[in-house]
Amino acid sequence: MFRSEYADVPPVELPIHDAVLGHAAGFGDRPALVDGTDGTTLTYEQVDRFHRRLAAALADAGVRKGDVLALHSPNSLAFPVAFYAATRAGATVTTAHPLATAEELARQLRDSAARWIVTVSPLLETARRAAGLAGGIREILVCDSAPGHRSLTELLATTAPEPRVAVDPAEDIAVLPYSSGTTGTPKGVMLTHRQIATNLAQLESAVPAGPGDRVLAVLPFFHIYGLTALMNGPLRKGATVVVLPRFEPETFLAAIDKHRVTGLYVAPPIVLALAKHPAVGRYDLSCLKYVISAAAPLDARLARACSERLGLPPIGQAYGMTELSPGTHAVPLDRLRDAPAGTVGRLVAGTEMRIVSLDDPARDLGPGEPGEILIRGPQVMKGYLGRPDATAALIDPDGWLHTGDVGHVDADGWLFVVDRVKELIKYKGYQVAPAELEALLLTHPGIADAAVVGARDEDGNEIPHAFVVRHPGADGPAEDEVLRFVAERVAPYKRVRRITFTDTVPRAASGKILRRQLREHA
């Protein structure tokens, strides 16, 4: 068993809005949130006051403890305000991908039993269709403005009293992101107030932040990585969050330059852009002090090329998963120069790890021996919503979460993730479940069987690669027809990017797809 070198942190027994914004009034006029495109700024005092007013309006509208509110929006200044307002009103927030189709969003709304949606006008039609498909939605609110819907700005004018909701941090669910776990279709991950607040405290020793630090939030807040590293974490310590709704190289680089961003938390595709995009040389990025990459494996050569081009310490990495609130490992900022290349870091405070044999899970392995990574700590999720069997399959009776990742630890405690035994594909940090795409492909009348695995494209990104068996005697479908069929029915990041037609899909006697054989030909 491996234990963290850091002293344990006590559980944070606070609702997430108090754990993050408890010192907001003390930070006063310091900038909390800055729009990276137009410079609009909210101070800490404003974020504190606005989220309390909005909580009052939500409570007055009928939001009650235990209700689920779906936050369906790209990054914006309104996103954190809406999130903390909802939790202060007693609601659980289920964060939804802004690129989800109406059908995908409806599945999440139904599964989570959401009663409220907060969205933005460009996504309103999708939200309306999803609400109609799901049923049970009481009201759709908009962050900006749209005819026939109340806006958050309007709600701020309420004179209703601030709600006083008794929150049990250990039991009450603060956020319900959806994750495919180690396999299968998306499931609601129940993260309590205590779990996500305590994980912030656990991560602080490795990646501290404070007044004067300025981080750029281009990774989505709806994803647990963005929610923790770019929203909850910096705002908890008085840093400034510069917000962008999406990654566009010129806008991204201009925001770093203009707002003098000091730290970046990114995924590997952004590291690739920083290493190779010709526009990088046109901006003054000397303000940057560090870059941390997570959410997907980062090639060590790419990391080196990026840090050398920017004149920075080596790119640090971090490791975790939604079911772990999410962080378990990080390269400490004060160890960037001496951490071995390719490591995802050391255990954060209060966390234990085992590396177990793939052939005999009861046998623990030592340094240098690759096996499955198991994690135990206060950040382990409460469970999957409504899926006790899936929860039990992931977390054993002793509290160890089986990550499905293969890794090894060196003699100094640095973790290296070398492979994945899980089937989940991570396309640019977004989770894509093969089972979901396979089920969709099988609805095509010309397809008899299908399997989807992860493959690498020319830039090193993992992409969904489908192996398709046509019906005997069927005329087609052709490759472009299959690609279009999937693209019209899923969010852009889930699209199949490569097709191989085959006579059979290899399967074990149990019927399980033998993906390893397919990956050899991907």
Side-chain angles (χ1 to χ4, degrees):
M1 185 188 300
F2 303 91
R3 290 187 171 88
S4 174
E5 64 185 301
Y6 298 106
D8 288 354
V9 297
V12 178
E13 303 290 359
L14 291 170
I16 189 60
H17 43 273
D18 288 334
V20 173
L21 297 179
H23 301 293
F27 294 130
D29 289 337
R30 288 185 180 276
L33 300 165
V34 177
D35 187 304
T37 55
D38 66 17
T40 301
T41 299
L42 292 182
T43 66
Y44 272 91
E45 186 278 331
Q46 288 174 315
V47 171
D48 186 50
R49 176 161 45 91
F50 290 169
H51 98 274
R52 291 174 184 274
R53 284 290 80 221
L54 185 54
L58 292 175
D60 190 51
V63 173
R64 296 292 179 264
K65 181 177 179 178
D67 281 358
V68 175
L69 180 146
L71 190 43
H72 174 234
S73 169
N75 289 5
S76 70
L77 304 193
F79 192 111
V81 175
F83 180 90
Y84 301 125
T87 61
R88 185 171 288 280
T92 294
V93 177
T94 187
T95 50
H97 200 307
L99 295 182
T101 64
E103 292 75 15
E104 290 169 329
L105 179 57
R107 284 196 293 271
Q108 182 171 339
L109 296 175
R110 277 195 301 268
D111 190 73
S112 64
R115 303 184 71 199
W116 311 84
I117 300 175
V118 174
T119 190
V120 292
S121 55
L123 302 180
L124 184 56
E125 185 53 36
T126 298
R128 284 172 172 162
R129 288 180 54 213
L133 291 169
I137 299 298
R138 289 190 56 176
E139 186 174 2
I140 300 175
L141 305 167
V142 291
C143 294
D144 40 7
S145 63
H149 294 269
R150 292 194 290 172
S151 72
L152 300 192
T153 302
E154 291 175 56
L155 294 178
L156 289 176
T158 184
T159 58
E162 182 181 319
R164 304 293 179 184
V165 179
V167 172
D168 182 347
E171 294 296 328
D172 292 343
I173 309 304
V175 61
L176 189 68
Y178 271 68
S179 167
S180 299
T182 57
T183 185
T185 55
K187 298 173 283 292
V189 178
M190 297 187 290
L191 300 178
T192 67
H193 291 264
R194 176 201 277 176
Q195 285 159 351
I196 57 174
T198 301
N199 194 231
L200 294 174
Q202 292 176 292
L203 289 162
E204 186 179 338
S205 55
V207 283
D213 290 318
R214 301 173 77 86
V215 299
L216 183 58
V218 68
L219 296 182
F221 289 146
F222 81 82
H223 190 285
I224 192 66
Y225 177 18
L227 191 78
T228 292
L230 298 174
M231 193 177 92
N232 288 334
L235 294 178
R236 177 174 174 265
K237 302 300 292 184
T240 297
V241 179
V242 180
V243 181
L244 289 177
R246 67 189 64 84
F247 177 72
E248 296 169 344
E250 295 276 0
T251 305
F252 172 78
L253 295 166
I256 297 172
D257 186 347
K258 179 179 179 180
H259 299 289
R260 310 313 294 160
V261 169
T262 59
L264 295 177
Y265 294 87
V266 297
I270 297 179
V271 178
L272 177 66
L274 288 169
K276 297 185 176 181
H277 200 285
V280 170
R282 297 199 291 269
Y283 295 89
D284 177 8
L285 308 184
S286 62
C287 49
L288 285 175
K289 297 179 180 178
Y290 62 88
V291 178
I292 301 292
S293 177
L298 176 65
D299 180 76
R301 291 169 298 178
L302 174 59
R304 188 182 313 112
C306 178
S307 62
E308 289 176 354
R309 187 181 194 191
L310 297 179
L312 289 174
I315 308 301
Q317 292 196 64
Y319 173 76
M321 57 193 292
T322 306
E323 291 82 352
L324 290 165
S325 302
T328 68
H329 289 74
V331 176
L333 295 185
D334 60 2
R335 301 292 302 275
L336 291 176
R337 294 190 185 279
D338 65 342
T343 181
V344 297
R346 301 166 78 100
L347 281 165
V348 300
T351 305
E352 300 172 304
M353 177 178 64
R354 293 167 59 201
I355 307 291
V356 301
S357 169
L358 297 177
D359 299 320
D360 179 9
R363 183 166 67 91
D364 281 66
L365 305 176
E369 298 181 283
E372 184 178 4
I373 301 165
L374 276 56
I375 298 291
R376 186 167 67 181
Q379 68 269 56
V380 173
M381 69 170 181
K382 186 174 183 178
Y384 289 124
L385 177 68
R387 290 170 171 81
D389 291 346
T391 302
L394 192 71
I395 305 171
D396 68 28
D398 293 322
W400 290 100
L401 185 144
H402 295 239
T403 67
D405 285 329
V406 178
H408 66 86
V409 176
D410 71 10
D412 296 318
W414 297 102
L415 175 66
F416 298 80
V417 178
V418 297
D419 198 0
R420 290 214 301 273
V421 294
K422 56 191 179 185
E423 299 166 350
L424 187 66
I425 299 166
K426 285 196 172 182
Y427 176 70
K428 296 187 176 181
Y430 295 131
Q431 297 179 342
V432 182
E436 184 179 5
L437 292 177
E438 288 158 357
L440 175 59
L441 286 164
L442 291 175
T443 65
H444 189 289
I447 295 176
D449 201 1
V452 177
V453 299
R456 297 288 172 183
D457 67 10
E458 58 271 18
D459 292 325
N461 295 313
E462 190 176 30
I463 60 170
H465 181 161
F467 289 79
V468 173
V469 179
R470 297 184 178 104
H471 274 298
D475 183 17
E479 180 177 359
D480 59 349
E481 180 183 345
V482 177
L483 293 173
R484 185 169 59 253
F485 177 81
V486 176
E488 291 172 352
R489 291 164 174 81
V490 299
Y493 70 96
K494 293 183 182 178
R495 293 175 181 173
V496 170
R497 308 282 164 165
R498 188 180 298 160
I499 299 287
T500 296
F501 290 102
T502 183
D503 293 331
T504 60
V505 170
R507 296 179 184 271
S510 64
K512 183 177 180 180
I513 296 170
L514 299 175
R515 298 183 194 278
R516 186 177 298 276
Q517 293 184 20
L518 294 174
R519 289 192 189 98
E520 293 173 357
H521 302 287

